[in-house]
Amino acid sequence: MNVLEINQLTKFYGNARGIENVSFSVKEGEIFGFIGPNGAGKSTTIRTLLGLIYPTSGSAKIFGKDCIKYGSEVRKEIGYLPSEVFYYDKMKVIDVLKYAASFFDKDCTKRIDELSEMMELNLNRRVEDLSYGNKKKVGIVQGLLHSPKLIMLDEPTSGLDPLMQQKFFSLIEQENKNGATIFFSSHILSEVQQLCNRVAIIKAGSIVKVEDIKTLREDNYKKVTVRGEKVSAALFTMEGISELLEEPATVRFFYKGDINVIVQAISSIGIGDLLVENPTLEEIFMHYYK
């Protein structure tokens, strides 16, 4: 079953492009990554799915229901953490969370206590006294306090220190094990690589690739480094080579194709070392943005 089904979703702000013909689906129980730099259209996609803004054209379903027509119904089962969180400064954290919990037909008191303890959040402090990172913790607890079936995270770790980021990742993984589907939007690729099963890459408002993480890394480009006194870039002119870089006694490049072709090319010369690696997700990502 697909929790999210997006079909040709488009949003223009006047003549300015937000997103255009975005299509992909997210399976139930999946941790799905949505990656692209700032301005690529990640937040616009999420806000459209949540009914915070209306699409120009196209459609999207959440839990099999149109996200606009049945928005108030499906949002009851969604936990949302925006990239920026804002609260009334004079309110205490506990009052913010109790107010958020009042929108759901369940007692969230125990859940608030559990999440706040896990995220080391002081419930009795006023919002105006919180650092940016602690305000983000309030947003995390608020987004999860009703045990949602779908958790939508928009740049969730900004403001969190590295130790708290790891606690947050553990929390998200536990929510997933408990049955929640996770939609994780980020421009920090190491996060996506660590958490997600599949990923959609968005560029200038359009999807350029939807792939599982393992395939994206292993069945894509190879990162090749050849070292030796007789090694030169002139030896590597075959199709499939990109990012060719020559240094003294060293040639580096990315290669897509049959690796035996590369091995054959270097077999006639004496080399000191040959290194063939899977590129990082960061390097793959940058390839799609050239």
Side-chain angles (χ1 to χ4, degrees), residues 182-221:
I182 315 294
F183 185 80
F184 189 108
S185 171
S186 180
H187 69 277
I188 304 173
L189 303 174
S190 58
E191 295 180 351
V192 174
Q193 191 165 299
Q194 178 178 340
L195 280 179
C196 297
N197 312 120
R198 288 194 305 143
V199 62
I201 300 174
I202 187 169
K203 174 183 179 180
S206 299
I207 301 297
V208 295
K209 189 84 170 179
V210 178
E211 193 68 88
D212 68 77
I213 290 289
K214 185 177 181 181
T215 301
L216 196 64
R217 294 192 64 190
E218 294 181 358
D219 296 343
N220 209 283
Y221 288 76

Side-chain angles (χ1 to χ4, degrees), residues 12-110:
F12 276 82
Y13 302 96
N15 293 324
R17 182 270 310 154
I19 55 174
E20 191 168 8
N21 297 325
V22 167
S23 298
F24 61 86
S25 60
V26 178
K27 301 171 186 174
E28 184 177 14
E30 190 171 22
I31 304 181
F32 188 90
F34 192 44
I35 58 175
N38 294 329
K42 301 188 304 298
S43 293
T44 295
T45 303
I46 290 174
R47 290 168 184 161
T48 305
L49 291 172
L50 292 170
L52 300 176
I53 55 178
Y54 280 22
T56 304
S57 61
S59 63
K61 291 182 179 179
I62 300 177
F63 308 125
K65 299 177 180 179
D66 184 275
C67 69
I68 301 298
K69 186 176 181 180
Y70 297 97
S72 60
E73 183 179 336
V74 298
R75 281 192 293 270
K76 293 178 181 178
E77 300 292 349
I78 298 175
Y80 171 48
L81 177 63
S83 55
E84 300 286 339
V85 290
F86 300 97
Y87 300 106
Y88 293 113
D89 285 346
K90 300 301 180 184
M91 291 182 74
K92 287 186 176 181
V93 172
I94 185 61
D95 295 327
V96 170
L97 296 175
K98 283 183 177 179
Y99 177 65
S102 70
F103 288 90
F104 304 99
D105 297 326
K106 59 177 72 175
D107 184 358
C108 302
T109 305
K110 182 180 178 182

